[in-house]
Amino acid sequence: MTRRSPLDDPARAAHAWARYRRIMGWMMAVTVGLVAGSAILLYRSNGMVSVHFYIAAALGVGFTMLLASALMGLVFLSSGSGHDDAVVDPLEDESTGK
C-alpha cells in the first residue's frame, strides 16, 4: 500500500514547483554566464578557429549545465516537499535484520 504524497496537496505542490522554477531561473543565469566565460576562454587560448567549434562548445556546456541543474532541482523538490518519505520500502524489514 502506498502512502499519500505531500505533492497531492495543490497548495504544497504549487509552492514546491514555484521553488523549482526559481532554482532553474538562477541556474539559467549561471549557465549563461558560464557559457559566455567558456567561449571567452576558448577564444583567448585558440583564437578564431571555426564558428562551429564555439557553437558546439556553447551547446555542450549549456546542455550539460542545464541538465545537471534540472536533475538536481528535481532531487531538491522531491526531498524538500516530503515526497521521498511517502515511498514505502518493501525491503525495509530485511535491512534492519528483523
Side-chain angles (χ1 to χ4, degrees):
M1 188 79 185
T2 60
R3 296 178 225 155
R4 285 185 49 88
S5 169
L7 290 177
D8 290 339
D9 179 26
R12 285 189 79 173
H15 175 71
W17 285 111
R19 182 175 170 229
Y20 177 75
R21 284 190 293 275
R22 191 171 51 249
I23 289 172
M24 286 305 296
W26 279 106
M27 288 309 297
M28 181 64 161
V30 169
T31 298
V32 168
L34 189 64
V35 166
S38 64
I40 290 169
L41 285 174
L42 285 172
Y43 182 75
R44 283 186 180 174
S45 65
N46 297 321
M48 191 58 191
V49 179
S50 169
V51 72
H52 299 101
F53 172 73
Y54 295 105
I55 291 171
L59 286 175
V61 170
F63 180 73
T64 301
M65 281 293 298
L66 287 177
L67 180 63
S69 62
L71 292 174
M72 283 302 293
L74 288 173
V75 168
F76 292 149
L77 171 92
S78 179
S79 175
S81 67
H83 186 71
D84 290 346
D85 298 331
V87 175
V88 176
D89 185 9
L91 303 176
E92 186 174 6
D93 293 338
E94 292 178 9
S95 64
T96 59
K98 294 180 182 178

